[in-house]
Amino acid sequence: MNLIHANIETMFNPETVAVIGASDNPSKLGFHVMKSLVNGGFPGKIIPVNPGSHKIWGLKAYRSINDYTARIDLAIVVIPAKLVPGVFTECAEKGVKGIVLITAGFKEIDDPAGATLHKKIADIVDAAGVAVIGPNTFGMINFHANLNASFTPEFSLLKKGKIALVSQSGGISHLLGFLAMRADARFSKIIGLGNRLNVDFAEIIDYLMDDSDTNVIMLYMEGIDHPNRFIKEVKKHKNQKPVIIYKTGNSEKSDQAAKSHTGSLAGKHEIYQGAFKQAGIIISENAESLLDTAKAFGSSEIPQGPGVAILSGQAGPALAACDVCEACGLKIVSFEQCTQQRINEYLPPLALRTNPVDMGPAWYNAPAQSAIIRAAMNDSNVNAILLLIMFASANANLLTDLSKFLTKFKQSKPIISCILAPPGIWDDDIRRLEESGALVNYPTPEQAAKTMAALWEYNKRNKVTGQVDRLKTENC
Amino acid sequence: MNLIHANIETMFNPETVAVIGASDNPSKLGFHVMKSLVNGGFPGKIIPVNPGSHKIWGLKAYRSINDYTARIDLAIVVIPAKLVPGVFTECAEKGVKGIVLITAGFKEIDDPAGATLHKKIADIVDAAGVAVIGPNTFGMINFHANLNASFTPEFSLLKKGKIALVSQSGGISHLLGFLAMRADARFSKIIGLGNRLNVDFAEIIDYLMDDSDTNVIMLYMEGIDHPNRFIKEVKKHKNQKPVIIYKTGNSEKSDQAAKSHTGSLAGKHEIYQGAFKQAGIIISENAESLLDTAKAFGSSEIPQGPGVAILSGQAGPALAACDVCEACGLKIVSFEQCTQQRINEYLPPLALRTNPVDMGPAWYNAPAQSAIIRAAMNDSNVNAILLLIMFASANANLLTDLSKFLTKFKQSKPIISCILAPPGIWDDDIRRLEESGALVNYPTPEQAAKTMAALWEYNKRNKVTGQVDRLKTENC
């Protein structure tokens, strides 16, 4: 087990990668794997292996990995299933540390020959301690090593970040990756577990908890063979890094489908939910919410209590956020007297001046909005801020001015925002605000509020005290 | 009441629009209203009114509407509250049919003077039968008349369509408008009711039910004074056009806030929900779902039963959709024998070939996918199709080929899809597919499935039989 752990570490940070089944033919997956590695800018050595070619993607190709005399750390295998045992034996003998096995057709197929073959290749790598991601996977990506070991070169369009995605479905990994490109969520690793020959959720959790590039782990799960082993592993690392899960296979039809897809029954929804909660895992109910929550954990402070201040440029979005907050365990707290006085200086009686605050009358006025944000941030009843601003033609310059304040103003309480404008208008400002760590932004007030609730839920359950440098209450 | 109805019709289709409070100064809302009208391409006559200017936005300006001798259909009023009664009297005397009153500061303010002023201006227009949208509104847009009578010129970036949005919040209208730009949802009208002087939800429903440009009505509501009148109006038009609602103000704090914002208590959540259901209104739980549902009703067929076929390029998204379908009242039906035979011709036993179908093995193969879609469409157990396709480098050309089939293949059962790729890759194909009426697309499988469930829910509750030309079962 320790050997597997060490070899997982090496396979994510290899110096030399062999592509067994590499190809120059775009109709082959071996072509797309080469494209991912080469165009993804992998800085190490790439060894295409294919008995039929001398050169692939402009690189010297080898008949077998044995023809390459130096060390190989990672092999990406994309050849017919029946050839896999022979190649696995070669890899084990050569001392390859890890294999990404893209090929499908093992225990997930109806034919019992699939299960036999599965067992056979498992025995080979287990004996040698070789870590295998797959079979039946699109691969994996380590963004911090510029290693795109998948058949999807487009994953390299994503930016480096702190979120690790571990998924039992290639389709969901692609979905989340493409959504993340739009939401500007940033990953450390994306890992398609596939049918888990010897690297299951438990092994990958154990590895990622030690991975300094990762500060939050998001999981997509259908069904697993050893749920207890997984839960035990998460519990072992409780309080270390947040783990967020989205699990499907909750209905009769999808449970059956999960069995066919992954070779494991999805199992009773309620039992899983209970076990996840006990282990301190945050549960998401859909792909969007999984990504939303991971994005916040990837870069936000964690609220130290349930008290929220809703500061909004318009009343409607504030009401929408209010409903979600109260339904999800957050509290729309009353402000301290000095905070309320400060807010009353900037807003006329016409507006909602108590929490939730409608900053509408100050919507041209970035200094007033900045002062209101600062006052709420310094209020000891407030643990977190929801900042909601819709663009209007009349407040077009607001965000530029507000950004200057927000990026300089170092807060220790989270700001989750819904700042929205027509495409192209405020995009750069929002990206800069997110990059500065000032806030995390979402396209709707409900998503912003739900995400804040997930942050607090995690803290409540896991008692993360953190290093909260309380601000001096400058405004009182 | 009939006069108001007729005048609402005229105010949405005016020949001449006066802007009372028009300005060349960008710090004034009167500037942005002028910008909306002029840059929005309003083809009628625009009359800027401001006693201090001779020319505004390059157009001859008038001291008052009385200085303009010809007829004025619509007046947009954006002047201080205390000046409104005088201007309203002038408008009533001149025979103006409708007023958009952007000015705030009436019954929604703490000061009882606000309520008095509210009553005063209401009496003036009610006596004359002038229809008023507002006060405290951003305005309204009639896309089919190129009339942007709001202070947000950017609304004109939206495309003409069949969805009418009626909202009690400017913030939520802007939110939905900006989300719609990204989702390519298309509107007939966007109407900010504001504090509803004499045009409330009931009056606008009555008008929109007769509006040939509108085939679905989406509502955002906080609180209203006469819920029974609204419900009665919707019931009167039951089965005519779908009405979808998102209502906030469900929590203690948001109910209080709604009172301050709109001058009406939000009221008991459960009572509203029950009344909405009884009236056949589809209830959305957040802004995203409101827009998703409206988009589908705006262009999709309605399923004639709960039977769904899930056809997916990957198993994971199919499972996610499966869970939502079963939770929301849709049925993942078994295929007829001849359908199953046809699918088995195209997919190996390795794949999920029963419903949900994993078309993964045919993911390079548009003809095979087309044949599977056709077979499912012709299956009499199937009332609707969820089509889920994630881009991969290896199937980059799939959608172009599949589009040729889908746009030609005239189906009478709805296809809701989640087709997703990195930004810029499949965007044009998806837009063309939507424009052809072949399908309605969403960014996640869960949103696609939830939307399909809303379509079926509507039909189940309202018994829309429709003109369903059943296809000949060509494949049996």
Side-chain angles (χ1 to χ4, degrees), chain A residues 179-249:
Chain A
L179 292 176
M181 289 173 193
R182 288 163 174 83
D184 202 11
R186 301 178 180 201
F187 292 95
S188 57
K189 295 178 174 64
I190 296 180
I191 304 163
L193 287 185
N195 290 346
R196 298 147 293 133
L197 199 70
N198 65 11
V199 176
D200 207 333
F201 283 100
E203 287 74 24
I204 214 77
I205 290 278
D206 188 49
Y207 164 67
L208 290 172
M209 286 291 179
D210 289 341
D211 176 31
S212 61
D213 293 328
T214 296
N215 69 2
V216 50
I217 302 168
M218 64 192 277
L219 309 177
Y220 169 75
M221 184 184 281
E222 290 171 2
I224 51 174
D225 300 315
H226 310 290
N228 291 340
R229 205 156 62 79
F230 160 69
I231 293 292
K232 203 177 134 188
E233 199 60 50
V234 177
K235 278 187 178 164
K236 197 175 93 188
H237 297 281
K238 208 170 165 175
N239 298 348
Q240 213 170 316
K241 292 176 189 176
V243 178
I244 313 159
I245 202 163
Y246 171 38
K247 186 178 173 307
T248 60

Side-chain angles (χ1 to χ4, degrees), chain A residues 109 246 254 287-288 323 350 446, chain B residues 109 246 254 288 323 350 446:
Chain A
I109 60 170
Y246 171 38
S254 63
E288 178 184 272
D323 281 355
L350 167 69
E446 297 94 334
Chain B
I109 61 170
Y246 171 39
S254 62
E288 178 185 89
D323 281 356
L350 169 66
E446 297 93 335

